[in-house]
Amino acid sequence: MSIFKEHIVAMGAYSPPLKGRNPIDYTLLDFNERTIPVAEPIKQAMIAFINSDRLQTYPAYGDITAQLASYCDVNESQVMITNGSDHGIELTIRGVCCEGSEAIIPGPSFPMYHQVAGVEGMVIHEPLYTRESGYPVQQVKALINDNTKLIVVSNPNNPSGTLTTREVIIELANAAPQAAILVDECYFEYTQVSMSDCVEEYPNIVITRTFSKTWGLPSVRFGYVIAAEKNIQALLNVRGPYDINQLAVVAAEAALRHPEYTEQYVAEVMNVSKPMMESFLEEHQIQFWPTAANFVWIFPDRAQMLNDALRAEGILVRPKADTDGKIGLRITLGTQIQTQRLIAVMKHFFEG
């Protein structure tokens, strides 16, 4: 007999395939990370903090929320820092939902939404994205009832890269004023599409973001939430006072002081690598989902064999099945040189 809640014991853990991932041995195009090391000023800021002999003291976050608010063009009272965006997702769902309440989580999508909703004992509905129509807005609206407490918009969605328009998100906010519209903007820097200017007018919109993807800092776990001031005050009642690592704040501050390193990387990925990869896929008639992000979900013939061939050449990508069970490969787009090498391996596989 377990001391834990029965439904939690019955759940499965989210266990990403981390074994064997080594940036020395492989080009890592499997987790949608930044594919090159962080800029030197970020590393030096972290080293300087370690050398300042303050590791024995509790975190003191200074004006990081003000810096983020300036970056996002919102009020400081509308921002809360978190331990990665997963933490923001968890705090929002814990704060809004209860056992037996309903969540609408269109799929396939990021497993953490299901994980946290499952821990809360929610009833989960999963209408499906389609390659042709994108976010299933009509199916979502048809599922809304008085017991709906959560609607997720992963924007852009992972693994498909699908972008949902601002108009659709506002439509959902109006259709379900009793529910949190959780807008996950963890790839914001790639899309430049945000709901951050709408959080006071639509106080049921809660936005989560991260420094794990574009900024290249997944190992230190830093994210933030943007929401109406009253929502931030409520979330602070749930978040612990020291939940965010001090080194994460140091790294984020350094990154914000030097945005040019991120901007240059984003420009190379989106303006060079992405068109190059899409052109190759179209030329070889390989089906892929339209994407607004730094990754593309492709469905080639012999997908598993292609995955093996890429691994043999030191390139890791992520096999991801669609809702029909068909195996595709989600491929992170990196630098121009990395993309040229990726295409060369794929070309040899298809053309011999």
Side-chain angles (χ1 to χ4, degrees), residues 16-131:
L18 292 165
K19 186 176 181 180
R21 299 186 79 241
N22 186 332
I24 297 173
D25 298 330
Y26 294 100
T27 300
L28 302 181
L29 305 182
D30 52 341
F31 275 41
N32 300 343
E33 302 155 320
R34 177 185 171 102
T35 61
I36 56 176
V38 297
E40 194 64 26
I42 299 174
K43 291 188 281 187
Q44 290 305 317
M46 297 176 75
I47 292 168
F49 178 81
I50 291 171
N51 289 335
S52 71
D53 290 333
R54 286 183 285 167
L55 290 175
Q56 72 275 19
T57 66
Y58 279 99
Y61 300 133
D63 65 349
I64 184 61
T65 54
Q67 294 176 52
L68 286 166
S70 176
Y71 170 71
C72 300
D73 196 22
V74 298
N75 296 328
E76 183 178 357
S77 61
Q78 296 172 324
V79 177
M80 182 186 77
I81 60 173
T82 57
N83 188 336
S85 60
D86 290 0
H87 190 205
I89 292 165
E90 179 187 3
L91 293 175
T92 299
I93 295 176
R94 281 175 56 198
V96 169
C97 306
C98 60
E99 186 172 356
S101 60
E102 298 183 25
I104 305 174
I105 308 174
S109 198
F110 182 40
M112 280 303 299
Y113 311 131
H114 280 266
Q115 188 77 15
V116 181
V119 168
E120 295 303 312
M122 301 188 74
V123 176
I124 300 173
H125 303 285
E126 190 177 6
L128 301 178
Y129 282 86
T130 64
R131 182 175 176 274

Side-chain angles (χ1 to χ4, degrees), residues 15-296:
S15 300
L18 292 165
K19 186 176 181 180
R21 299 186 79 241
N22 186 332
I24 297 173
D25 298 330
Y26 294 100
T27 300
L28 302 181
L29 305 182
D30 52 341
F31 275 41
N32 300 343
E33 302 155 320
R34 177 185 171 102
T35 61
I36 56 176
V38 297
E40 194 64 26
I42 299 174
K43 291 188 281 187
Q44 290 305 317
M46 297 176 75
I47 292 168
F49 178 81
I50 291 171
N51 289 335
S52 71
D53 290 333
R54 286 183 285 167
L55 290 175
Q56 72 275 19
T57 66
Y58 279 99
Y61 300 133
D63 65 349
I64 184 61
T65 54
Q67 294 176 52
L68 286 166
S70 176
Y71 170 71
C72 300
D73 196 22
V74 298
N75 296 328
E76 183 178 357
S77 61
Q78 296 172 324
V79 177
M80 182 186 77
I81 60 173
T82 57
N83 188 336
S85 60
D86 290 0
H87 190 205
I89 292 165
E90 179 187 3
L91 293 175
T92 299
I93 295 176
R94 281 175 56 198
V96 169
C97 306
C98 60
E99 186 172 356
S101 60
E102 298 183 25
I104 305 174
I105 308 174
S109 198
F110 182 40
M112 280 303 299
Y113 311 131
H114 280 266
Q115 188 77 15
V116 181
V119 168
E120 295 303 312
M122 301 188 74
V123 176
I124 300 173
H125 303 285
E126 190 177 6
L128 301 178
Y129 282 86
T130 64
R131 182 175 176 274
E132 294 72 28
S133 301
Y135 190 87
V137 58
Q138 296 308 320
Q139 294 93 319
V140 169
K141 289 177 66 177
L143 288 164
I144 293 171
N145 60 63
D146 292 342
N147 201 35
T148 303
K149 297 301 180 187
L150 175 72
I151 299 174
V152 173
V153 183
S154 180
N155 210 33
N157 184 48
N158 171 16
S160 66
T162 306
L163 189 69
T164 303
T165 66
R166 285 166 51 91
E167 291 74 19
V168 164
I169 296 171
I170 289 171
E171 187 178 346
L172 295 174
N174 284 324
Q178 80 288 357
I181 312 300
L182 178 61
V183 184
D184 187 349
E185 294 183 353
C186 74
Y187 298 98
F188 160 72
E189 282 77 16
Y190 293 109
T191 68
Q192 294 296 310
V193 174
S194 179
M195 302 303 296
S196 58
D197 60 321
C198 299
V199 294
E200 292 296 340
E201 184 178 358
Y202 301 95
N204 57 334
I205 292 177
V206 179
I207 298 166
T208 54
R209 289 191 187 170
T210 185
F211 272 56
S212 292
K213 301 299 184 183
T214 325
W215 299 90
L217 293 167
S219 63
V220 298
R221 313 306 301 140
F222 185 80
Y224 57 103
V225 172
I226 304 171
E229 180 177 356
K230 65 179 182 180
N231 293 338
I232 294 297
Q233 290 303 312
L235 286 167
L236 285 168
N237 294 337
V238 185
R239 195 202 71 187
Y242 308 122
D243 281 359
I244 295 84
N245 188 310
Q246 184 72 70
L247 276 174
V249 174
V250 169
E253 288 177 328
L256 289 168
R257 285 195 299 270
H258 297 279
E260 66 274 11
Y261 294 105
T262 292
E263 291 165 357
Q264 290 164 5
Y265 178 74
V266 168
E268 183 171 4
V269 169
M270 299 304 284
N271 299 334
V272 180
S273 294
K274 184 170 179 282
M276 186 190 307
M277 184 63 176
E278 290 174 336
S279 177
F280 171 80
L281 295 172
E282 289 167 354
E283 179 185 344
H284 287 76
Q285 298 182 333
I286 299 170
Q287 187 182 71
F288 65 97
W289 283 55
T291 178
N294 65 320
F295 55 87
V296 59

